[in-house]
Amino acid sequence: MSSIKQEAERCLKCKKPLCSANCPAATDVPRVVDLFLEGKIREAGEVLFYNNPLSAITSIICPHERNCLGHCVRGIKGEPVMFYRIEEFVSRFYLETFDIPKIKKNGIKVAVAGSGPAGITMSLLLLRSGYDVTLFEAEDSIGGVLKYGIPPFRLPREILDMYKDIMLKMGLHFRPNTRIGTNIMIEDLFPDGYKAVFVATGTGRPNKLGLLGETLGHVHFAVDYLKSPSAFDLGNTVAVVGAGNVAIDAARTAIRRSHSHVTILHFMGEENMTANHEEVEMAQLEGVEFIHFAQAVRINEDSVRCVRVNRIENADGSVSFEEDYSDVFDVPADSVIIAIGQGPGADMRAAGVKLTQRGLLDVNEYGETTRPGVFAAGDIVSGPKTVIEAVAFTKKVFSKMDEYMKSENV
């Protein structure tokens, strides 16, 4: 593997960089590379941080093959530039040497509900603009899905500690173990002087399969398992139902913690998996077994009953999948982990705030809900998506919130 400097020297610094154009946060890759090669590491870090406050995180967990890496011109006839390696190094150094800026306070109070990717991003944007920010978090520390959903072997926990320390030094008021939507409602915040509320409570409630056996004692939801793996005794064989990033994280964690034989059951083919390709490859190297075209139909005490799924190419060129109930088989499992997506974890009903049919917050293109002063972003708006997508939309919402709170009509 080439050094980080060699990777930077391979960058062509295109006049119309496709890497930047295909980054949801529009990272200025050529400028960062230039500053890096000039030895201006802090300046490069500042460019990254002020464009994407979570660059130290997204550089590690982004689906790079879909974004910058997958659109690098060098990748057409050779190996693409691994810009994310440069970004990780520069962003980490910037956080470790962060100088708290002098901030002129504007005296306006804002509430942020949820400290996942969108909540951290919004808090940093508000703090550096002079707002008095109170961050409410249902758990005991910041991070949301970053801490309680992504295993530490993928995302080192000390990075989240650095973000927390920086925000506290910038004047953040942090209220842990406080869930907005249960013990405190959205409408409770305005009488206490908050001019606006930003909701980023995520989607922490797991979806069910709806199968017989789902309530048995050896069946667990991936979001619960990843939150506290040490609380679970999985046994020697584990079946994971699902094929997204959460399923892969659960499988890789089970191999590490329980030394179990782990099988992932997926009702479509490998090419249809939604998980990042690199994470799938790592899981395979670590010994995770994949059974594709397998639809779970019942959970037994010691196995998952499946039927074979046939891939059908239709006359119009489309592809469909059909269960074949004549081809039934059991996959041994001391424990079963369900990872088929999530929904909103808190009750977000509030006066004047409209929800979608899925229970998510209904917002416009600027993150405004149907109640003035209440804004939202992240998974509670879009359903589970990537961290970089949450950052990109949160930046857009911040601009509208900033405009709203400084309006004389509010």
Side-chain angles (χ1 to χ4, degrees), residues 231-244:
F232 296 78
D233 182 8
L234 299 181
N236 296 320
T237 57
V238 178
V240 179
V241 182

Side-chain angles (χ1 to χ4, degrees), residues 117-229:
I120 295 174
T121 300
M122 180 59 77
S123 295
L124 284 165
L125 294 173
L126 290 166
L127 287 166
R128 74 187 189 198
S129 297
Y131 288 97
D132 183 358
V133 182
T134 299
L135 176 59
F136 297 85
E137 168 54 44
E139 304 295 341
D140 60 1
S141 190
I142 73 161
V145 68
L146 299 173
K147 179 166 185 177
Y148 299 103
I150 298 177
F153 60 81
R154 281 190 59 207
L155 182 64
R157 294 294 181 254
E158 63 266 21
I159 293 179
L160 295 174
D161 294 335
M162 283 190 277
Y163 274 106
K164 181 180 179 180
D165 184 60
I166 286 169
M167 290 192 293
L168 290 174
K169 288 179 179 177
M170 291 174 73
L172 177 76
H173 304 287
F174 181 55
R175 284 194 59 169
N177 299 314
T178 307
R179 185 183 296 276
I180 300 298
T182 52
N183 49 347
I184 294 179
M185 305 301 291
I186 291 174
E187 53 264 38
D188 295 332
L189 297 166
F190 291 100
D192 282 336
Y194 294 98
K195 205 164 188 180
V197 178
F198 177 72
V199 182
T201 48
T203 51
R205 177 180 53 78
N207 292 336
K208 298 189 299 181
L209 286 167
L211 300 179
L212 283 173
E214 199 163 5
T215 66
L216 295 176
H218 67 300
V219 181
H220 314 289
F221 292 108
V223 290
D224 299 327
Y225 172 65
L226 289 170
K227 183 177 177 180
S228 182

Side-chain angles (χ1 to χ4, degrees), residues 209 211 241 265 267 294-299 304-307 325:
L209 286 167
L211 300 179
V241 182
L265 305 175
F267 77 98
Q295 176 66 63
V297 294
R298 179 171 182 154
I299 300 174
V304 179
R305 180 151 296 173
C306 300
V307 297
Y325 283 87

Side-chain angles (χ1 to χ4, degrees), residues 291-311:
I291 300 180
H292 296 287
F293 302 109
Q295 176 66 63
V297 294
R298 179 171 182 154
I299 300 174
N300 299 317
E301 295 285 354
D302 58 359
S303 66
V304 179
R305 180 151 296 173
C306 300
V307 297
R308 190 67 62 190
V309 177
N310 296 320
R311 182 180 185 275

Side-chain angles (χ1 to χ4, degrees), residues 317-360:
S318 63
V319 174
S320 58
F321 298 87
E322 185 176 287
E323 294 93 345
D324 181 1
Y325 283 87
S326 68
D327 190 349
V328 181
F329 59 98
D330 289 342
V331 177
D334 294 323
S335 292
V336 179
I337 296 177
I338 299 170
I340 57 167
Q342 298 99 245
D347 185 354
M348 285 292 105
R349 285 176 293 183
V353 177
K354 183 181 177 182
L355 303 181
T356 68
Q357 288 185 335
R358 297 169 61 193
L360 304 172

